[in-house]
Amino acid sequence: MASLSATSLSFKAPSIQSTRISQVLRKPSSFQSISFGRFQSSKSLRLQISCAAKPETVQKVSDIVKEQLALSADTPLTAESKFSALGADSLDTVEIVMALEEKFNISVEETDAQNITTIQEAADLIEDLVQKKPAA
Amino acid sequence: MLSSLIPLQLPSRMQTHLWYILPNEVNNKSLLKHYTQLLSQHEKDSISGMQSDELNKKNALLARTLVRTTLARYHTNNNDNTVVDPRALKFKKNLYGKPEVDWEVDDTTTNHPKLQFNISHTDSLIACGVTLNAPVGIDVEDKTRKMRHDVLSLAKRFYSSEEVKFLSSVEDTESQRKEFIKLWTLKEAYVKALGKGFSASPFNTFSIIRSDAETYNLCDQAGEWKFRLLELAASSHYAAICIEGEDGQEAMNVIVHKTIPFVEDELISI
């Protein structure tokens, strides 16, 4: 286990994204503060499956969605809110994707764009893509 | 006392019947209650579970009512030629999630032609397209809809390069916006007619080009997809229809009705 490097990890767990696990195995210096706290390479690996996107990301996504759909500031929006339930049609969704790409400076694949149906899913995908970007 | 549903003649092979409701015209409480009684339990639960305002719930109710009553009207009971009960229709989804009618093949008491349908709606218009044996997709859009992004940026990101070229050649900003929306409805209608989900045909992988004032075609197409673009409801909406034709077939013919189920139909000349 001690010799397992992050780059050689490639298995896909059924209900979580594989990149989540690779995040856990990164060296602490490049590690983003995910909810289960800091990871030290000398300690045994403890995988927590509930690695949701940062609250700030979820908030930024919510703001963009509210703006696109012209929702009032006090509209109750949760991470689980579905775009369609908020009144978004396919053109709204496409505009939301574009706004997210601009805000986070990422590029969303067409197939990924289709799979975003909630705020949480958008936030998770964003963090995935941001984390995958080559270091500047 | 509401009139019973009036039977309809089937569409011919290259014909699309387009039915639409204007929700603003349907407010009578007892009529809406009657509509609710036509829905399946699943549909009723789905609507009451919506995290939306009452207008959206009403539109969802009208959409299901439009589909059930319209499709029912094309089916008559063999013994007395009355329209089948809209409640009796069952629906299922194809492999990719496209809704279709689920026929009970051993039912000999009614005739069931192989109708295909597709629905689309905005806040102010709900439409249902019906064909006989032809895959169909429809999309409606409010003509005045404004995008938050610059239209050309959206096109460059999501449309094909031929379509971007066309849009770039439209000089007036307002006309460009309208052409963007027209293309949007046509492209949506095509993907919905294909019925394989949006990931199967990303918008930038195909081009729809206008050949003259009224005719749109798919570039380099495999198959015979026919398109029509209409303006509905005092030109408040664009409506795009796409059906899969047969080789050598002429253009698609469309018959449009505005309807309030159980109340009235109005034939619209287009």
Side-chain angles (χ1 to χ4, degrees):
Chain A
M1 203 58 182
S3 60
L4 187 67
S5 72
T7 54
S8 66
L9 185 68
S10 63
F11 68 87
K12 264 188 170 6
S15 58
I16 47 180
Q17 296 170 18
S18 58
T19 49
R20 299 264 166 251
I21 300 185
S22 66
Q23 271 187 337
V24 173
L25 294 172
R26 260 176 219 278
K27 288 193 270 226
S29 57
S30 62
F31 186 68
Q32 292 177 8
S33 61
I34 300 183
S35 53
F36 53 82
R38 285 208 181 279
F39 170 75
Q40 287 176 14
S41 50
S42 58
K43 288 205 162 68
S44 60
L45 197 56
R46 205 178 9 220
L47 291 176
Q48 290 202 13
I49 308 304
S50 60
C51 24
K54 293 194 284 252
E56 306 98 82
T57 309
V58 172
Q59 185 57 52
K60 282 178 185 162
V61 174
S62 299
D63 291 342
I64 285 172
V65 169
K66 272 188 179 167
E67 202 196 316
Q68 175 62 34
L69 304 181
L71 303 173
S72 64
D74 52 358
T75 306
L77 225 62
T78 70
E80 301 314 315
S81 295
K82 282 189 156 227
F83 293 160
S84 54
L86 296 168
D89 60 15
S90 47
L91 182 47
D92 286 313
T93 304
V94 144
E95 289 219 79
I96 289 170
V97 167
M98 192 145 155
L100 295 175
E101 288 182 329
E102 288 165 353
K103 180 87 179 173
F104 293 95
N105 197 21
I106 50 175
S107 204
V108 178
E109 298 283 311
E110 301 308 313
T111 42
D112 286 337
Q114 301 313 326
N115 291 330
I116 302 176
T117 60
T118 66
I119 291 181
Q120 186 68 57
E121 284 168 6
D124 291 347
L125 179 65
I126 288 161
E127 295 218 339
D128 220 46
L129 293 171
V130 164
Q131 176 251 109
K132 272 181 180 149
K133 276 182 357 177
Chain B
M1 177 77 182
L2 291 171
S3 50
S4 39
L5 291 173
I6 298 171
L8 295 169
Q9 254 200 328
L10 294 173
S12 60
R13 180 57 179 85
M14 283 305 284
Q15 205 174 56
T16 303
H17 287 181
L18 188 65
W19 296 85
Y20 71 89
I21 291 181
L22 298 178
N24 299 336
E25 295 184 352
V26 187
N27 296 302
N28 182 290
K29 294 250 186 302
S30 71
L31 182 61
L32 290 169
K33 182 153 180 241
H34 184 65
Y35 291 164
T36 311
Q37 287 157 359
L38 302 176
L39 269 46
S40 68
Q41 192 55 51
H42 175 76
E43 286 166 339
K44 283 188 260 207
D45 292 341
S46 180
I47 291 172
S48 47
M50 280 170 68
Q51 309 164 273
S52 284
D53 58 32
E54 290 312 305
L55 277 179
N56 277 320
K57 290 189 185 186
K58 175 180 146 190
N59 284 5
L61 168 63
L62 291 177
R64 294 316 303 162
T65 302
L66 180 64
V67 171
R68 282 186 176 273
T69 55
T70 304
L71 291 175
R73 291 172 68 181
Y74 293 102
H75 300 81
T76 50
N77 291 306
N78 286 340
N79 57 349
D80 61 3
N81 284 327
T82 53
V83 170
V84 303
D85 187 346
R87 273 169 289 219
L89 291 172
K90 289 192 173 46
F91 296 89
K92 61 181 179 180
K93 292 194 171 159
N94 77 359
L95 215 57
Y96 307 92
K98 182 177 182 185
E100 44 188 51
V101 187
D102 189 0
W103 304 113
E104 282 169 352
V105 286
D106 44 330
D107 175 8
T108 51
T109 61
T110 68
N111 60 340
H112 22 86
K114 286 200 166 47
L115 291 180
Q116 304 212 31
F117 74 95
N118 194 234
I119 53 174
S120 175
H121 59 85
T122 65
D123 287 342
S124 50
L125 187 146
I126 301 166
C128 179
V130 183
T131 59
L132 184 65
N133 286 327
V136 59
I138 70 166
D139 191 58
V140 294
E141 198 53 75
D142 182 331
K143 220 184 183 184
T144 61
R145 184 188 186 136
K146 301 268 188 300
M147 273 61 67
R148 289 192 188 276
H149 289 87
D150 165 64
V151 156
L152 274 184
S153 308
L154 276 172
K156 284 175 186 160
R157 173 63 183 83
F158 294 104
Y159 285 8
S160 73
S161 43
E162 289 89 348
E163 290 164 342
V164 171
K165 215 186 305 182
F166 163 69
L167 285 171
S168 306
S169 72
V170 178
E171 288 177 1
D172 175 57
T173 331
E174 174 58 8
S175 301
Q176 209 182 54
R177 185 192 63 79
K178 285 192 180 135
E179 295 301 324
F180 177 89
I181 295 187
K182 286 183 191 174
L183 268 177
W184 180 272
T185 59
L186 288 159
K187 291 167 84 68
E188 280 264 311
Y190 171 60
V191 172
K192 291 174 80 182
L194 274 175
K196 293 191 180 136
F198 289 90
S199 355
S201 305
F203 272 19
N204 59 5
T205 61
F206 65 91
S207 298
I208 295 179
I209 298 294
R210 193 173 72 187
S211 54
D212 58 42
E214 297 256 314
T215 316
Y216 291 87
N217 282 296
L218 196 61
C219 277
D220 310 317
Q221 67 166 304
E224 295 287 322
W225 297 95
K226 308 287 183 197
F227 296 86
R228 282 293 293 274
L229 183 73
L230 310 169
E231 295 191 21
L232 297 180
S235 289
S236 63
H237 283 74
Y238 289 124
I241 307 170
C242 175
I243 72 173
E244 186 173 24
E246 285 163 355
D247 282 351
Q249 283 276 5
E250 297 297 308
M252 185 206 320
N253 176 234
V254 185
I255 300 184
V256 184
H257 286 88
K258 178 161 81 83
T259 186
I260 300 177
F262 297 100
V263 177
E264 63 184 30
D265 295 334
E266 184 187 332
L267 177 65
I268 308 288
S269 49
I270 48 155

